[in-house]
Amino acid sequence: MPLHNNYFKIGLFAFAGLGLFLAGLLAFGLRGSLKPTLQCVTFFDRSVQGISRDSSVKFRGFEVGRVTSIALSSVEDKDGPPVVRVMFSIDPAALGGKNSDVEEARAYMLRQVEHGLQAVLSFQGVTGLGFLDLDYREKAPGASLEALGARVSADQLVFVPNGPGSIMEISESATQIVKSLREVDFAGLSRDINALV
C-alpha cells in the first residue's frame, strides 16, 4: 500500500511541476504582448526584400518596435501595380519616458511625421537582414501612397511615409550609370580614335 501512495505523490509532483513550467512559459510569452503599443503603417512601391514579420523598427538606430505584418495592398488606381503595406508596432516607452501613454506617443509620432519623419528600408551589415529605420528625410512619397495614408489614418493607425534608403539610392544610381554606359557608342569612339592616330 505505501508503494502505491509513493507513485501517486511522485505523479502529482511531476504534474504540478509541469503545470508550473507551462504557466511560466505562458506568462513569459504573453508578457510582451500585453503591453499597449502604438500601431503604425507605411507603404512601399518597391521591393521590401530583407524584412519580414518581427523585423526590428529603429528610430535613429535605437530599437523602438517590431514589424507586425507585411501584405500587398491595392491603390486607388486599379490598373497600377499594388504596393506593399508594412504594419509595425512601437513601444511608447521606447520613445522616451514622457511618452509612455499610447495617445501621447501617437501625438508625438504625428508631430514627427509633420517634421519629415519617414520609414526607410535599411540593412544590417553584410548579412542582408533588413529593418525599418525611422529617420528624417526630405523626399515626399507619391500621391497614391499619400491617399493610402489618409485612408489608414481614419483607422487609428499612424501613417509614416516611406523614403528611399541609402541602399536603394546606391542601387538606382548604379542602374542609371549602366544605362548611360549602354548609350555610349564604343565602336564609333574606337573608329574615331583609330582615324585620329
Side-chain angles (χ1 to χ4, degrees):
M1 193 68 153
L3 189 60
H4 293 292
N5 197 11
N6 284 341
Y7 286 142
F8 176 75
K9 287 180 183 177
I10 291 172
L12 186 63
F13 179 75
F15 278 119
L18 182 64
L20 285 174
F21 177 73
L22 291 176
L25 282 179
L26 185 64
F28 181 73
L30 290 177
R31 183 181 63 181
S33 64
L34 294 178
K35 289 191 297 186
T37 57
L38 176 63
Q39 300 301 314
C40 302
V41 65
T42 188
F43 296 94
F44 287 92
D45 55 358
R46 61 182 72 92
S47 172
V48 294
Q49 183 175 348
I51 65 168
S52 60
R53 188 172 185 272
D54 209 37
S55 291
S56 294
V57 176
K58 297 184 179 186
F59 187 33
R60 292 194 157 181
F62 179 72
E63 187 169 322
V64 294
R66 309 299 278 176
V67 172
T68 55
S69 75
I70 301 174
L72 288 178
S73 179
S74 62
V75 292
E76 299 296 326
D77 177 15
K78 300 297 183 196
D79 295 326
V83 296
V84 180
R85 182 189 70 222
V86 178
M87 296 184 67
F88 56 98
S89 62
I90 293 179
D91 179 11
L95 293 177
K98 63 181 181 179
N99 297 316
S100 59
D101 180 61
V102 173
E103 289 307 314
E104 289 177 16
R106 179 187 315 281
Y108 174 78
M109 286 298 291
L110 290 172
R111 283 193 309 272
Q112 298 314 306
V113 168
E114 288 175 8
H115 293 305
L117 184 71
Q118 294 184 358
V120 177
L121 181 62
S122 298
F123 296 94
Q124 301 180 49
V126 294
T127 60
L129 294 176
F131 63 93
L132 277 184
D133 189 19
L134 303 178
D135 208 345
Y136 299 91
R137 307 284 172 141
E138 295 176 11
K139 190 173 181 182
S144 62
L145 297 183
E146 282 290 344
L148 283 171
R151 194 169 62 203
V152 298
S153 293
D155 297 333
Q156 297 300 313
L157 296 171
V158 175
F159 171 64
V160 180
N162 76 65
S166 55
I167 301 295
M168 186 59 68
E169 289 173 346
I170 291 170
S171 173
E172 288 173 356
S173 297
T175 302
Q176 288 176 350
I177 290 170
V178 169
K179 188 177 180 181
S180 298
L181 286 175
R182 283 188 193 148
E183 294 172 358
V184 174
D185 182 19
F186 287 109
L189 253 145
S190 176
R191 281 192 304 269
D192 291 345
I193 290 173
N194 282 339
L196 187 64
V197 170

